[in-house]
Amino acid sequence: MRRVLLAVVVTVAGLVALLSFKTHMNSSERTVGSSPSAPPLLPGEHALTGRAVRTVYGPVQVRVVERSRTIVGVNILQHPAETTMDIQIGQFAFPRLVDETLAAQSARIDSVSGATYTSNGYISSLQSALDNRA
Amino acid sequence: MLSTFPLLPAASAVTARVRHAEPVMGTVVSFDVPAAAVVGGSLEAAVRWLHWVDRIFSPYRPDSDVSLLAAAEVTVDGCAPEVAEVISACTAVRLCSGGYFTAAPGGVFDPSGYVKGWAVERAAAILSAAGSTSHLVNGGGDVQCVGGRPRTALGLSAASSSGTSSGLAAGSSSGLPAGPSAGLSGEEPWRVGIADPFHRGRLALVVEAAGSAVATSGIAERGAHIIDPRLGQPATGLASLTVVGPSLALADAYATAAFAMGPARARDWAESLPGYEAYAITENGDTWQTAGFAPHIAPA
């Protein structure tokens, strides 16, 4: 469980670093967004909240929810929200990443075959989630 | 160094794994290899090979052999010998597919439809030649598996990956010696998910691939980009077509040709390919598979 949490944190931190590289070249102040909408736990669910990881672009914090030893949810609790690009990450890439982390965990797969992705498409692909799996 | 780990079980040296993701050829090639492939340098050699292929075969580089050949500024004899090899392989697939595969889509020489699968298969062979009996290389969605994955791979994974070449150093500090092969008794088939063409991030099914290749053509990532060479228009009717068989170069080319044929022709043609099986998802969401595909489907 902790291994999975670490993997998710690493994946999210990497994604933030990749996507926000150009937007933060000269910034000194960090605006942090939080997601107050982390859903409440259902009966039988347990949550493991990671410590906030400080990337050079801002803190990233995630929560993993499990039920019967299966990952059933991944919540992004904190993420950089300084620029339009950051907000796009929050609205677009994180949900995909979470979805893909869940899919990869439940199907026990090693790799994914599908229509050829571009370098950009790879970033939010299921294969990318697998490559970052610890 | 070894005396530092006097109690390290021998199995750890055999099963420690490394993942690496290399941006190349306009996509990302993902590796799952034994740690010994990093220590011994064969992962780096495989990555160097892919970049060499990109330099020679990229139609986007004006100075590549393929671009110069397309512009008639050189002849095949003036190119790397691999260019002639690829041309002759493309011709073979064109003939056996009744013209639904071509090395000159739109009339311009561009063997990209063959090169990626071929290059990834060759990268996997570089790892095999260096002694690995268990690895997987995924070139942008086309997968070559060698052997199976060690049963304990997930538990003992020493995985690390990176989008940069510095990731090649991952795991090398472990100093683990190359161990003997785990053998098939200690392995289970690689599990390769087939992407759901209608729901990104989800899987349509999972296939078990021990020592075989899995290639998929489809519209999910880049739209209707596969041209039916006989009509000169984008192929329609299929959303995704997967081919499983021993060689990724052929599986990838067969998947492209079958996709261009459309659902009606593709099924009979795929059924006729010895050693290769196919699974298709049509634009309507219907699915079909060749008679020998079922054993490849992983139990739920």
Side-chain angles (χ1 to χ4, degrees), chain A residues 110-113 117 131 133, chain B residues 19 27 30 149 191 193 216:
Chain A
D110 301 300
S111 202
V112 180
S113 178
Y117 36 76
D131 289 341
R133 191 166 64 179
Chain B
R19 293 200 187 92
T27 184
S30 303
R149 81 170 173 199
R191 291 170 59 90
T216 300

Side-chain angles (χ1 to χ4, degrees), chain B residues 126-156:
Chain B
I126 289 171
L127 295 162
S128 297
S132 169
T133 56
S134 163
H135 51 274
L136 178 153
V137 188
N138 184 342
D142 297 317
V143 184
Q144 180 74 57
C145 304
V146 172
R149 81 170 173 199
R151 281 187 191 283
T152 50
L154 287 178
L156 289 172

Side-chain angles (χ1 to χ4, degrees), chain B residues 141-254:
Chain B
D142 297 317
V143 184
Q144 180 74 57
C145 304
V146 172
R149 81 170 173 199
R151 281 187 191 283
T152 50
L154 287 178
L156 289 172
S157 172
S160 173
S161 73
S162 165
T164 69
S165 57
S166 65
L168 287 177
S172 61
S173 61
S174 65
L176 294 174
S181 163
L184 278 177
S185 60
E187 296 177 351
E188 55 194 358
W190 295 100
R191 291 170 59 90
V192 178
I194 306 300
D196 180 337
F198 303 115
H199 301 98
R200 200 166 191 284
R202 297 188 189 280
L203 302 175
L205 81 164
V206 177
V207 301
E208 290 187 339
S212 52
V214 185
T216 300
S217 286
I219 56 173
E221 295 284 335
R222 293 179 297 157
H225 67 287
I226 298 173
I227 303 294
D228 173 353
R230 311 225 314 190
L231 294 177
Q233 293 171 356
T236 57
L238 290 168
S240 163
L241 188 139
T242 298
V243 173
V244 180
S247 154
L248 183 59
L250 286 178
D252 188 18
Y254 289 161

Side-chain angles (χ1 to χ4, degrees), chain A residues 16-25 57:
Chain A
V16 170
L18 263 174
L19 293 185
S20 51
F21 179 66
K22 283 184 179 163
T23 66
H24 293 85
M25 294 297 278
Y57 311 105

Side-chain angles (χ1 to χ4, degrees), chain A residues 122 126-133, chain B residues 19-21 30-31 160-161:
Chain A
Y122 169 80
L126 185 47
Q127 182 62 41
S128 170
L130 289 171
D131 289 341
N132 283 287
R133 191 166 64 179
Chain B
R19 293 200 187 92
H20 174 74
S30 303
F31 292 84
S160 173
S161 73

